[in-house]
Amino acid sequence: MSESFDLVVVGAGPAGLAAATEAAGLGLSAVVIDEQPEPGGQIYRAVERAARGVAGDALGEDYRHGAGVVAAFRASGAVYRPGLQVWQVEQEGEVLASDGESTTSFVGKRVLIAVGAMERPVPIPGWTLPGVMGVGAAQVMLKASGIVPAGDTWVAGSGPLPLLYLAQVAAAGGRIAGYIDTTPPGNRWTAAAHLGGALRNFPYVRKGLALRAHLKGSGIPVEAADAVAATGDGKVERVRWRVGGQWKEAPCDLLLLHEGVVPNAHVTMAVGCAHDWDDRQRCFRPHLDAWGHTDIGPIMVAGDCGGIEGARAAEVRGRLAALATAAGVGRITAEERDRRAQPLRRELGRHLPIRAFLDTLFAPRRDLLSPADDVVVCRCEAITAKKVRDAVAIGAVGPNQTKAFIRSGMGPCQGRLCGLTVTEVIAEATGKTPGEVGFFRIRPPLKPLTIGELATVTPAG
Amino acid sequence: MLRKLPDPAGGVVTVIVEGRPCEVGPNDTAAAAALLAGIGHTRTSPVTGEPRAPFCMMGVCHECLMVIDGVPSRQACLVTVREGMRIDRQVGPRALQPAGADAHV
């Protein structure tokens, strides 16, 4: 079964929804395919329900902005196909998506990859224990299910999200035992050089300061630390953190980690798009032009999967990609595209200058990027950093060789949780840059698929 | 560890987590149901046998692979609950079903 559109969008977050809304407004046929049952992506997860639910007020005004984005999409006439997992994108513009039983083929004159960000992997001792999760994971549960921490929950990490989550949990009536702030103190000096850009988005800075003030007034203990570990027998029982060379510890039955977000680049990697190493964000991002075109004909990218810029910038990127699509398929002229893009580029100019400040202020510490020998790097295959270093010592020249040598990246997550760490460990061991080392070669299917389903797929055309 | 805020308008769905009935919301995921049921771990690693549990809740980490209504290797964080859904731990490598066998047995 195959369906054809001017624009096929993968991902129903702010970038994908705004792109489809804009495209439909320009008279294009557009479809949004998403693996979640409701539109909004992770940032606006369940925003239609939350607006009337218990958690809605606690989640704050930035979250509620998403209700407008979703409403505009619902009214746009674009087709919405939730609950589908994209497991392959062809370079010619075909997208294969599974509902768990059968696969549908979507063919687009343009395909917009808008699959957003994921939390940066946090390889610390004990991070595979049950009860250790991402702060983003916990926030998803708060948004989608109204679930809050109740016992000895500790948050450990750095960045805007832990501060936001602590405030949201407090407002929703949950309980956090303490916050371990792992932001390297030296970061503030390097970040100071980018303060000018930050102040160009003063409302954002003001919100950040308000979250810090809220944390101070909340009575939640805040511990500065340069290392964190989880311990326990079969589940997390204690959290340990190091301050001034001394280890401290506390009882803990839920440890929430966060060290920033990185592009969810597996789809663009699998398609074969060119990627650049982003040294400031310590991640790979697809090589894009100002409209979101990759180096592969019909494949475009918008939002955080093209580099972390935040939800509001993602909306603008989505609309720019829609304009480029409309011009590309002959619906509007290039002049019309450029005219409509002008206010969007001005808006982007308000959202982007703060990123350098945030990226440097919350830059992850070195031993998180390339962890100590005994730390598990690849969760699926239980591969430690030492095994990766040993593989390099006996001749593995890059991430793909470590797959063959030690199976890192060969488990069900296909390297999503270890890819960047394996790259960083190899870069450190070989004296190369991460960009020179490169990333795992990502192959289809991108999601678990039964052989029976694969056998029923009929290629388009 | 975790608790669900009361939601008077939310409705209730009963799922069977590791053989025990558990009341959750109609929009909750199978992974959230397993965490609320307090079963601790949701799978054991096929490599080391260690217990594992959901980590990312957004379809990335694949730690939440569970057996749902008899079908192994489902990403439980991407499956919305249904009345009577059976949600079981995946112990070690997922079982291979011989052709024609009833996957629900």
PDB file of all heavy atoms in Angstrom, chain A residues 42 49 54 85 128 132 134 137 145-148 150 172-173 379 412 416 447, chain B residues 1-6 27-28 51-52 55-56 58-63 75 78:
ATOM      1  N   GLN A  42       7.923  15.231  21.996  1.00  0.00           N
ATOM      2  CA  GLN A  42       8.216  15.087  23.423  1.00  0.00           C
ATOM      3  C   GLN A  42       8.051  16.416  24.153  1.00  0.00           C
ATOM      4  O   GLN A  42       7.607  16.452  25.302  1.00  0.00           O
ATOM      5  CB  GLN A  42       9.639  14.550  23.630  1.00  0.00           C
ATOM      6  CG  GLN A  42       9.913  13.221  22.930  1.00  0.00           C
ATOM      7  CD  GLN A  42       8.955  12.125  23.338  1.00  0.00           C
ATOM      8  OE1 GLN A  42       8.382  12.147  24.429  1.00  0.00           O
ATOM      9  NE2 GLN A  42       8.756  11.155  22.460  1.00  0.00           N
ATOM     10  N   ARG A  49      -4.442  16.986  25.963  1.00  0.00           N
ATOM     11  CA  ARG A  49      -5.077  16.486  27.192  1.00  0.00           C
ATOM     12  C   ARG A  49      -4.630  17.264  28.418  1.00  0.00           C
ATOM     13  O   ARG A  49      -5.427  17.556  29.302  1.00  0.00           O
ATOM     14  CB  ARG A  49      -4.717  15.007  27.400  1.00  0.00           C
ATOM     15  CG  ARG A  49      -5.534  14.057  26.595  1.00  0.00           C
ATOM     16  CD  ARG A  49      -5.248  12.641  27.025  1.00  0.00           C
ATOM     17  NE  ARG A  49      -3.887  12.213  26.720  1.00  0.00           N
ATOM     18  CZ  ARG A  49      -3.006  11.808  27.636  1.00  0.00           C
ATOM     19  NH1 ARG A  49      -3.340  11.794  28.903  1.00  0.00           N
ATOM     20  NH2 ARG A  49      -1.800  11.429  27.267  1.00  0.00           N
ATOM     21  N   VAL A  54      -4.740  17.551  35.323  1.00  0.00           N
ATOM     22  CA  VAL A  54      -4.171  18.069  36.563  1.00  0.00           C
ATOM     23  C   VAL A  54      -2.791  18.671  36.364  1.00  0.00           C
ATOM     24  O   VAL A  54      -2.399  19.599  37.052  1.00  0.00           O
ATOM     25  CB  VAL A  54      -4.066  16.958  37.629  1.00  0.00           C
ATOM     26  CG1 VAL A  54      -5.380  16.792  38.350  1.00  0.00           C
ATOM     27  CG2 VAL A  54      -3.617  15.654  37.025  1.00  0.00           C
ATOM     28  N   GLN A  85       5.682   3.588  13.256  1.00  0.00           N
ATOM     29  CA  GLN A  85       7.128   3.659  13.428  1.00  0.00           C
ATOM     30  C   GLN A  85       7.809   3.629  12.065  1.00  0.00           C
ATOM     31  O   GLN A  85       7.659   2.665  11.314  1.00  0.00           O
ATOM     32  CB  GLN A  85       7.618   2.489  14.269  1.00  0.00           C
ATOM     33  CG  GLN A  85       7.154   2.569  15.720  1.00  0.00           C
ATOM     34  CD  GLN A  85       7.974   1.662  16.605  1.00  0.00           C
ATOM     35  OE1 GLN A  85       8.060   0.467  16.374  1.00  0.00           O
ATOM     36  NE2 GLN A  85       8.586   2.230  17.613  1.00  0.00           N
ATOM     37  N   THR A 128      22.917   1.530  34.404  1.00  0.00           N
ATOM     38  CA  THR A 128      22.033   0.502  33.847  1.00  0.00           C
ATOM     39  C   THR A 128      21.104  -0.097  34.907  1.00  0.00           C
ATOM     40  O   THR A 128      20.268  -0.939  34.581  1.00  0.00           O
ATOM     41  CB  THR A 128      22.851  -0.639  33.204  1.00  0.00           C
ATOM     42  OG1 THR A 128      23.717  -1.198  34.197  1.00  0.00           O
ATOM     43  CG2 THR A 128      23.685  -0.136  32.038  1.00  0.00           C
ATOM     44  N   VAL A 132      17.218   4.024  37.474  1.00  0.00           N
ATOM     45  CA  VAL A 132      17.987   5.146  36.916  1.00  0.00           C
ATOM     46  C   VAL A 132      17.370   5.480  35.562  1.00  0.00           C
ATOM     47  O   VAL A 132      17.238   4.597  34.703  1.00  0.00           O
ATOM     48  CB  VAL A 132      19.485   4.798  36.751  1.00  0.00           C
ATOM     49  CG1 VAL A 132      20.242   6.002  36.193  1.00  0.00           C
ATOM     50  CG2 VAL A 132      20.071   4.356  38.080  1.00  0.00           C
ATOM     51  N   GLY A 134      16.269   9.007  32.628  1.00  0.00           N
ATOM     52  CA  GLY A 134      16.519  10.378  32.218  1.00  0.00           C
ATOM     53  C   GLY A 134      15.529  11.332  32.867  1.00  0.00           C
ATOM     54  O   GLY A 134      14.396  10.947  33.178  1.00  0.00           O
ATOM     55  N   ALA A 137      12.799  11.505  30.544  1.00  0.00           N
ATOM     56  CA  ALA A 137      11.896  10.358  30.682  1.00  0.00           C
ATOM     57  C   ALA A 137      10.851  10.637  31.755  1.00  0.00           C
ATOM     58  O   ALA A 137       9.653  10.377  31.585  1.00  0.00           O
ATOM     59  CB  ALA A 137      12.692   9.097  31.019  1.00  0.00           C
ATOM     60  N   SER A 145       1.095  11.185  31.670  1.00  0.00           N
ATOM     61  CA  SER A 145       0.350  10.352  32.607  1.00  0.00           C
ATOM     62  C   SER A 145       0.137  11.001  33.967  1.00  0.00           C
ATOM     63  O   SER A 145      -0.471  10.391  34.839  1.00  0.00           O
ATOM     64  CB  SER A 145       1.088   9.017  32.823  1.00  0.00           C
ATOM     65  OG  SER A 145       1.176   8.296  31.616  1.00  0.00           O
ATOM     66  N   GLY A 146       0.639  12.209  34.176  1.00  0.00           N
ATOM     67  CA  GLY A 146       0.499  12.830  35.493  1.00  0.00           C
ATOM     68  C   GLY A 146       1.221  12.037  36.574  1.00  0.00           C
ATOM     69  O   GLY A 146       0.752  11.928  37.699  1.00  0.00           O
ATOM     70  N   ILE A 147       2.388  11.472  36.228  1.00  0.00           N
ATOM     71  CA  ILE A 147       3.161  10.677  37.187  1.00  0.00           C
ATOM     72  C   ILE A 147       4.270  11.554  37.775  1.00  0.00           C
ATOM     73  O   ILE A 147       4.995  12.228  37.045  1.00  0.00           O
ATOM     74  CB  ILE A 147       3.765   9.433  36.501  1.00  0.00           C
ATOM     75  CG1 ILE A 147       2.639   8.468  36.113  1.00  0.00           C
ATOM     76  CG2 ILE A 147       4.787   8.744  37.399  1.00  0.00           C
ATOM     77  CD1 ILE A 147       3.106   7.277  35.296  1.00  0.00           C
ATOM     78  N   VAL A 148       4.379  11.557  39.110  1.00  0.00           N
ATOM     79  CA  VAL A 148       5.414  12.355  39.775  1.00  0.00           C
ATOM     80  C   VAL A 148       6.226  11.457  40.716  1.00  0.00           C
ATOM     81  O   VAL A 148       5.741  10.421  41.175  1.00  0.00           O
ATOM     82  CB  VAL A 148       4.810  13.522  40.592  1.00  0.00           C
ATOM     83  CG1 VAL A 148       4.206  14.558  39.664  1.00  0.00           C
ATOM     84  CG2 VAL A 148       3.790  13.011  41.603  1.00  0.00           C
ATOM     85  N   ALA A 150       7.790  10.088  44.114  1.00  0.00           N
ATOM     86  CA  ALA A 150       7.161  10.045  45.433  1.00  0.00           C
ATOM     87  C   ALA A 150       8.127   9.665  46.546  1.00  0.00           C
ATOM     88  O   ALA A 150       7.930  10.040  47.689  1.00  0.00           O
ATOM     89  CB  ALA A 150       5.989   9.059  45.411  1.00  0.00           C
ATOM     90  N   ALA A 172       3.338  20.357  40.824  1.00  0.00           N
ATOM     91  CA  ALA A 172       2.373  19.262  40.679  1.00  0.00           C
ATOM     92  C   ALA A 172       2.197  18.480  41.978  1.00  0.00           C
ATOM     93  O   ALA A 172       1.356  17.586  42.046  1.00  0.00           O
ATOM     94  CB  ALA A 172       2.828  18.320  39.558  1.00  0.00           C
ATOM     95  N   GLY A 173       2.999  18.795  42.988  1.00  0.00           N
ATOM     96  CA  GLY A 173       2.840  18.109  44.274  1.00  0.00           C
ATOM     97  C   GLY A 173       3.695  16.868  44.436  1.00  0.00           C
ATOM     98  O   GLY A 173       3.436  16.043  45.306  1.00  0.00           O
ATOM     99  N   ARG A 379      24.847  -0.015  26.577  1.00  0.00           N
ATOM    100  CA  ARG A 379      23.955  -0.669  27.534  1.00  0.00           C
ATOM    101  C   ARG A 379      23.461  -2.016  26.999  1.00  0.00           C
ATOM    102  O   ARG A 379      23.407  -3.003  27.737  1.00  0.00           O
ATOM    103  CB  ARG A 379      22.757   0.234  27.844  1.00  0.00           C
ATOM    104  CG  ARG A 379      23.111   1.552  28.492  1.00  0.00           C
ATOM    105  CD  ARG A 379      21.886   2.463  28.574  1.00  0.00           C
ATOM    106  NE  ARG A 379      20.816   1.847  29.329  1.00  0.00           N
ATOM    107  CZ  ARG A 379      20.515   2.166  30.604  1.00  0.00           C
ATOM    108  NH1 ARG A 379      21.182   3.122  31.223  1.00  0.00           N
ATOM    109  NH2 ARG A 379      19.529   1.560  31.216  1.00  0.00           N
ATOM    110  N   PRO A 412      19.661  -3.918  20.485  1.00  0.00           N
ATOM    111  CA  PRO A 412      18.379  -3.419  19.968  1.00  0.00           C
ATOM    112  C   PRO A 412      18.343  -1.908  19.736  1.00  0.00           C
ATOM    113  O   PRO A 412      17.643  -1.458  18.836  1.00  0.00           O
ATOM    114  CB  PRO A 412      17.370  -3.816  21.057  1.00  0.00           C
ATOM    115  CG  PRO A 412      18.055  -4.750  21.966  1.00  0.00           C
ATOM    116  CD  PRO A 412      19.534  -4.681  21.735  1.00  0.00           C
ATOM    117  N   ARG A 416      22.059   4.004  19.508  1.00  0.00           N
ATOM    118  CA  ARG A 416      21.509   5.315  19.857  1.00  0.00           C
ATOM    119  C   ARG A 416      22.082   5.801  21.200  1.00  0.00           C
ATOM    120  O   ARG A 416      22.319   6.984  21.382  1.00  0.00           O
ATOM    121  CB  ARG A 416      19.985   5.254  19.948  1.00  0.00           C
ATOM    122  CG  ARG A 416      19.297   5.127  18.589  1.00  0.00           C
ATOM    123  CD  ARG A 416      17.809   4.835  18.794  1.00  0.00           C
ATOM    124  NE  ARG A 416      17.041   4.866  17.554  1.00  0.00           N
ATOM    125  CZ  ARG A 416      16.878   3.814  16.760  1.00  0.00           C
ATOM    126  NH1 ARG A 416      17.443   2.661  17.034  1.00  0.00           N
ATOM    127  NH2 ARG A 416      16.136   3.914  15.665  1.00  0.00           N
ATOM    128  N   LYS A 447      13.637   0.287  13.389  1.00  0.00           N
ATOM    129  CA  LYS A 447      12.830  -0.126  14.544  1.00  0.00           C
ATOM    130  C   LYS A 447      12.605  -1.632  14.453  1.00  0.00           C
ATOM    131  O   LYS A 447      12.671  -2.197  13.354  1.00  0.00           O
ATOM    132  CB  LYS A 447      11.473   0.609  14.519  1.00  0.00           C
ATOM    133  CG  LYS A 447      11.585   2.073  14.845  1.00  0.00           C
ATOM    134  CD  LYS A 447      11.824   2.275  16.335  1.00  0.00           C
ATOM    135  CE  LYS A 447      11.906   3.752  16.685  1.00  0.00           C
ATOM    136  NZ  LYS A 447      11.836   3.989  18.120  1.00  0.00           N
TER     137      LYS A 447
ATOM    138  N   MET B   1       8.468   5.439  44.890  1.00  0.00           N
ATOM    139  CA  MET B   1       9.299   5.806  43.742  1.00  0.00           C
ATOM    140  C   MET B   1       8.528   6.718  42.774  1.00  0.00           C
ATOM    141  O   MET B   1       8.958   7.803  42.455  1.00  0.00           O
ATOM    142  CB  MET B   1       9.739   4.514  43.053  1.00  0.00           C
ATOM    143  CG  MET B   1      10.511   4.707  41.786  1.00  0.00           C
ATOM    144  SD  MET B   1      11.003   3.082  41.122  1.00  0.00           S
ATOM    145  CE  MET B   1      11.257   3.489  39.423  1.00  0.00           C
ATOM    146  N   LEU B   2       7.347   6.253  42.353  1.00  0.00           N
ATOM    147  CA  LEU B   2       6.513   7.064  41.459  1.00  0.00           C
ATOM    148  C   LEU B   2       5.057   6.942  41.901  1.00  0.00           C
ATOM    149  O   LEU B   2       4.635   5.911  42.397  1.00  0.00           O
ATOM    150  CB  LEU B   2       6.633   6.567  40.012  1.00  0.00           C
ATOM    151  CG  LEU B   2       7.971   6.762  39.305  1.00  0.00           C
ATOM    152  CD1 LEU B   2       8.021   5.928  38.039  1.00  0.00           C
ATOM    153  CD2 LEU B   2       8.208   8.231  38.984  1.00  0.00           C
ATOM    154  N   ARG B   3       4.307   8.018  41.704  1.00  0.00           N
ATOM    155  CA  ARG B   3       2.869   7.901  41.937  1.00  0.00           C
ATOM    156  C   ARG B   3       2.129   8.716  40.892  1.00  0.00           C
ATOM    157  O   ARG B   3       2.678   9.667  40.330  1.00  0.00           O
ATOM    158  CB  ARG B   3       2.494   8.351  43.351  1.00  0.00           C
ATOM    159  CG  ARG B   3       2.486   9.844  43.555  1.00  0.00           C
ATOM    160  CD  ARG B   3       2.129  10.198  44.988  1.00  0.00           C
ATOM    161  NE  ARG B   3       2.380  11.607  45.234  1.00  0.00           N
ATOM    162  CZ  ARG B   3       1.468  12.557  45.037  1.00  0.00           C
ATOM    163  NH1 ARG B   3       0.251  12.245  44.631  1.00  0.00           N
ATOM    164  NH2 ARG B   3       1.770  13.830  45.243  1.00  0.00           N
ATOM    165  N   LYS B   4       0.869   8.304  40.657  1.00  0.00           N
ATOM    166  CA  LYS B   4       0.071   8.986  39.635  1.00  0.00           C
ATOM    167  C   LYS B   4      -0.848   9.979  40.331  1.00  0.00           C
ATOM    168  O   LYS B   4      -1.520   9.642  41.311  1.00  0.00           O
ATOM    169  CB  LYS B   4      -0.750   7.937  38.882  1.00  0.00           C
ATOM    170  CG  LYS B   4      -1.378   8.427  37.589  1.00  0.00           C
ATOM    171  CD  LYS B   4      -1.926   7.231  36.804  1.00  0.00           C
ATOM    172  CE  LYS B   4      -2.904   7.668  35.732  1.00  0.00           C
ATOM    173  NZ  LYS B   4      -2.309   8.482  34.662  1.00  0.00           N
ATOM    174  N   LEU B   5      -0.840  11.225  39.843  1.00  0.00           N
ATOM    175  CA  LEU B   5      -1.728  12.231  40.397  1.00  0.00           C
ATOM    176  C   LEU B   5      -3.175  11.830  40.107  1.00  0.00           C
ATOM    177  O   LEU B   5      -3.457  11.296  39.039  1.00  0.00           O
ATOM    178  CB  LEU B   5      -1.436  13.597  39.769  1.00  0.00           C
ATOM    179  CG  LEU B   5      -0.031  14.159  39.988  1.00  0.00           C
ATOM    180  CD1 LEU B   5       0.219  15.345  39.061  1.00  0.00           C
ATOM    181  CD2 LEU B   5       0.149  14.584  41.439  1.00  0.00           C
ATOM    182  N   PRO B   6      -4.068  12.082  41.055  1.00  0.00           N
ATOM    183  CA  PRO B   6      -5.478  11.749  40.790  1.00  0.00           C
ATOM    184  C   PRO B   6      -6.006  12.550  39.602  1.00  0.00           C
ATOM    185  O   PRO B   6      -5.702  13.729  39.465  1.00  0.00           O
ATOM    186  CB  PRO B   6      -6.191  12.137  42.098  1.00  0.00           C
ATOM    187  CG  PRO B   6      -5.239  13.011  42.837  1.00  0.00           C
ATOM    188  CD  PRO B   6      -3.857  12.689  42.367  1.00  0.00           C
ATOM    189  N   ASN B  27      -4.679   6.568  28.750  1.00  0.00           N
ATOM    190  CA  ASN B  27      -3.640   7.076  27.847  1.00  0.00           C
ATOM    191  C   ASN B  27      -2.230   6.691  28.296  1.00  0.00           C
ATOM    192  O   ASN B  27      -1.245   7.101  27.690  1.00  0.00           O
ATOM    193  CB  ASN B  27      -3.726   8.596  27.734  1.00  0.00           C
ATOM    194  CG  ASN B  27      -5.043   9.050  27.133  1.00  0.00           C
ATOM    195  OD1 ASN B  27      -5.322   8.786  25.977  1.00  0.00           O
ATOM    196  ND2 ASN B  27      -5.865   9.682  27.942  1.00  0.00           N
ATOM    197  N   ASP B  28      -2.129   5.919  29.382  1.00  0.00           N
ATOM    198  CA  ASP B  28      -0.805   5.532  29.865  1.00  0.00           C
ATOM    199  C   ASP B  28      -0.181   4.507  28.927  1.00  0.00           C
ATOM    200  O   ASP B  28      -0.876   3.777  28.221  1.00  0.00           O
ATOM    201  CB  ASP B  28      -0.899   4.949  31.283  1.00  0.00           C
ATOM    202  CG  ASP B  28      -1.268   6.008  32.312  1.00  0.00           C
ATOM    203  OD1 ASP B  28      -1.239   7.202  31.944  1.00  0.00           O
ATOM    204  OD2 ASP B  28      -1.598   5.657  33.460  1.00  0.00           O
ATOM    205  N   PRO B  51      19.045  -7.391  35.633  1.00  0.00           N
ATOM    206  CA  PRO B  51      17.734  -6.747  35.477  1.00  0.00           C
ATOM    207  C   PRO B  51      17.870  -5.375  34.836  1.00  0.00           C
ATOM    208  O   PRO B  51      18.819  -4.651  35.113  1.00  0.00           O
ATOM    209  CB  PRO B  51      17.228  -6.624  36.919  1.00  0.00           C
ATOM    210  CG  PRO B  51      18.457  -6.626  37.766  1.00  0.00           C
ATOM    211  CD  PRO B  51      19.476  -7.463  37.040  1.00  0.00           C
ATOM    212  N   ARG B  52      16.945  -5.031  33.986  1.00  0.00           N
ATOM    213  CA  ARG B  52      16.907  -3.712  33.344  1.00  0.00           C
ATOM    214  C   ARG B  52      15.488  -3.153  33.416  1.00  0.00           C
ATOM    215  O   ARG B  52      14.525  -3.915  33.591  1.00  0.00           O
ATOM    216  CB  ARG B  52      17.353  -3.807  31.882  1.00  0.00           C
ATOM    217  CG  ARG B  52      18.821  -4.201  31.694  1.00  0.00           C
ATOM    218  CD  ARG B  52      19.759  -3.084  32.098  1.00  0.00           C
ATOM    219  NE  ARG B  52      21.158  -3.464  31.923  1.00  0.00           N
ATOM    220  CZ  ARG B  52      21.846  -3.300  30.784  1.00  0.00           C
ATOM    221  NH1 ARG B  52      21.248  -2.787  29.731  1.00  0.00           N
ATOM    222  NH2 ARG B  52      23.106  -3.655  30.733  1.00  0.00           N
ATOM    223  N   PHE B  55      14.411   3.401  30.506  1.00  0.00           N
ATOM    224  CA  PHE B  55      15.371   4.474  30.781  1.00  0.00           C
ATOM    225  C   PHE B  55      14.928   5.793  30.152  1.00  0.00           C
ATOM    226  O   PHE B  55      14.961   6.821  30.797  1.00  0.00           O
ATOM    227  CB  PHE B  55      16.755   4.072  30.249  1.00  0.00           C
ATOM    228  CG  PHE B  55      17.838   5.079  30.512  1.00  0.00           C
ATOM    229  CD1 PHE B  55      18.391   5.220  31.785  1.00  0.00           C
ATOM    230  CD2 PHE B  55      18.302   5.906  29.501  1.00  0.00           C
ATOM    231  CE1 PHE B  55      19.384   6.162  32.038  1.00  0.00           C
ATOM    232  CE2 PHE B  55      19.298   6.855  29.749  1.00  0.00           C
ATOM    233  CZ  PHE B  55      19.838   6.977  31.014  1.00  0.00           C
ATOM    234  N   CYS B  56      14.517   5.777  28.858  1.00  0.00           N
ATOM    235  CA  CYS B  56      14.296   7.062  28.166  1.00  0.00           C
ATOM    236  C   CYS B  56      12.823   7.420  28.005  1.00  0.00           C
ATOM    237  O   CYS B  56      12.494   8.592  27.876  1.00  0.00           O
ATOM    238  CB  CYS B  56      14.977   7.067  26.800  1.00  0.00           C
ATOM    239  SG  CYS B  56      14.056   6.229  25.489  1.00  0.00           S
ATOM    240  N   MET B  58      10.986   7.423  25.569  1.00  0.00           N
ATOM    241  CA  MET B  58      10.618   8.079  24.313  1.00  0.00           C
ATOM    242  C   MET B  58      11.090   7.306  23.093  1.00  0.00           C
ATOM    243  O   MET B  58      11.372   7.882  22.047  1.00  0.00           O
ATOM    244  CB  MET B  58      11.105   9.527  24.297  1.00  0.00           C
ATOM    245  CG  MET B  58      12.574   9.733  24.563  1.00  0.00           C
ATOM    246  SD  MET B  58      13.034  11.500  24.604  1.00  0.00           S
ATOM    247  CE  MET B  58      12.562  11.985  26.268  1.00  0.00           C
ATOM    248  N   GLY B  59      11.202   5.979  23.254  1.00  0.00           N
ATOM    249  CA  GLY B  59      11.425   5.147  22.076  1.00  0.00           C
ATOM    250  C   GLY B  59      12.855   5.025  21.613  1.00  0.00           C
ATOM    251  O   GLY B  59      13.115   4.452  20.561  1.00  0.00           O
ATOM    252  N   VAL B  60      13.817   5.551  22.388  1.00  0.00           N
ATOM    253  CA  VAL B  60      15.199   5.567  21.940  1.00  0.00           C
ATOM    254  C   VAL B  60      16.000   4.368  22.475  1.00  0.00           C
ATOM    255  O   VAL B  60      16.687   3.677  21.727  1.00  0.00           O
ATOM    256  CB  VAL B  60      15.893   6.885  22.358  1.00  0.00           C
ATOM    257  CG1 VAL B  60      17.364   6.871  21.951  1.00  0.00           C
ATOM    258  CG2 VAL B  60      15.197   8.088  21.736  1.00  0.00           C
ATOM    259  N   CYS B  61      15.912   4.106  23.789  1.00  0.00           N
ATOM    260  CA  CYS B  61      16.900   3.241  24.444  1.00  0.00           C
ATOM    261  C   CYS B  61      16.618   1.741  24.302  1.00  0.00           C
ATOM    262  O   CYS B  61      17.507   0.928  24.508  1.00  0.00           O
ATOM    263  CB  CYS B  61      17.024   3.598  25.919  1.00  0.00           C
ATOM    264  SG  CYS B  61      15.639   3.047  26.936  1.00  0.00           S
ATOM    265  N   HIS B  62      15.395   1.367  23.993  1.00  0.00           N
ATOM    266  CA  HIS B  62      15.014  -0.041  23.834  1.00  0.00           C
ATOM    267  C   HIS B  62      15.222  -0.866  25.101  1.00  0.00           C
ATOM    268  O   HIS B  62      15.298  -2.094  25.046  1.00  0.00           O
ATOM    269  CB  HIS B  62      15.731  -0.688  22.644  1.00  0.00           C
ATOM    270  CG  HIS B  62      15.258  -0.163  21.301  1.00  0.00           C
ATOM    271  ND1 HIS B  62      15.401   1.145  20.926  1.00  0.00           N
ATOM    272  CD2 HIS B  62      14.640  -0.786  20.268  1.00  0.00           C
ATOM    273  CE1 HIS B  62      14.897   1.321  19.715  1.00  0.00           C
ATOM    274  NE2 HIS B  62      14.426   0.179  19.288  1.00  0.00           N
ATOM    275  N   GLU B  63      15.366  -0.205  26.269  1.00  0.00           N
ATOM    276  CA  GLU B  63      15.464  -0.951  27.531  1.00  0.00           C
ATOM    277  C   GLU B  63      14.105  -1.497  27.961  1.00  0.00           C
ATOM    278  O   GLU B  63      14.028  -2.398  28.785  1.00  0.00           O
ATOM    279  CB  GLU B  63      16.017  -0.046  28.647  1.00  0.00           C
ATOM    280  CG  GLU B  63      17.490   0.280  28.530  1.00  0.00           C
ATOM    281  CD  GLU B  63      18.398  -0.896  28.889  1.00  0.00           C
ATOM    282  OE1 GLU B  63      17.903  -2.011  29.085  1.00  0.00           O
ATOM    283  OE2 GLU B  63      19.620  -0.673  28.958  1.00  0.00           O
ATOM    284  N   GLN B  75       8.403  -2.290  22.241  1.00  0.00           N
ATOM    285  CA  GLN B  75       8.871  -1.140  23.012  1.00  0.00           C
ATOM    286  C   GLN B  75       7.692  -0.657  23.863  1.00  0.00           C
ATOM    287  O   GLN B  75       6.800   0.036  23.379  1.00  0.00           O
ATOM    288  CB  GLN B  75       9.343  -0.024  22.084  1.00  0.00           C
ATOM    289  CG  GLN B  75      10.697  -0.280  21.444  1.00  0.00           C
ATOM    290  CD  GLN B  75      11.125   0.886  20.568  1.00  0.00           C
ATOM    291  OE1 GLN B  75      10.751   0.957  19.402  1.00  0.00           O
ATOM    292  NE2 GLN B  75      11.897   1.803  21.109  1.00  0.00           N
ATOM    293  N   LEU B  78       6.089   2.783  23.884  1.00  0.00           N
ATOM    294  CA  LEU B  78       5.379   3.261  22.697  1.00  0.00           C
ATOM    295  C   LEU B  78       4.026   2.572  22.522  1.00  0.00           C
ATOM    296  O   LEU B  78       3.350   2.774  21.520  1.00  0.00           O
ATOM    297  CB  LEU B  78       6.224   3.039  21.433  1.00  0.00           C
ATOM    298  CG  LEU B  78       7.546   3.815  21.360  1.00  0.00           C
ATOM    299  CD1 LEU B  78       8.307   3.469  20.092  1.00  0.00           C
ATOM    300  CD2 LEU B  78       7.290   5.317  21.427  1.00  0.00           C
TER     301      LEU B  78
END
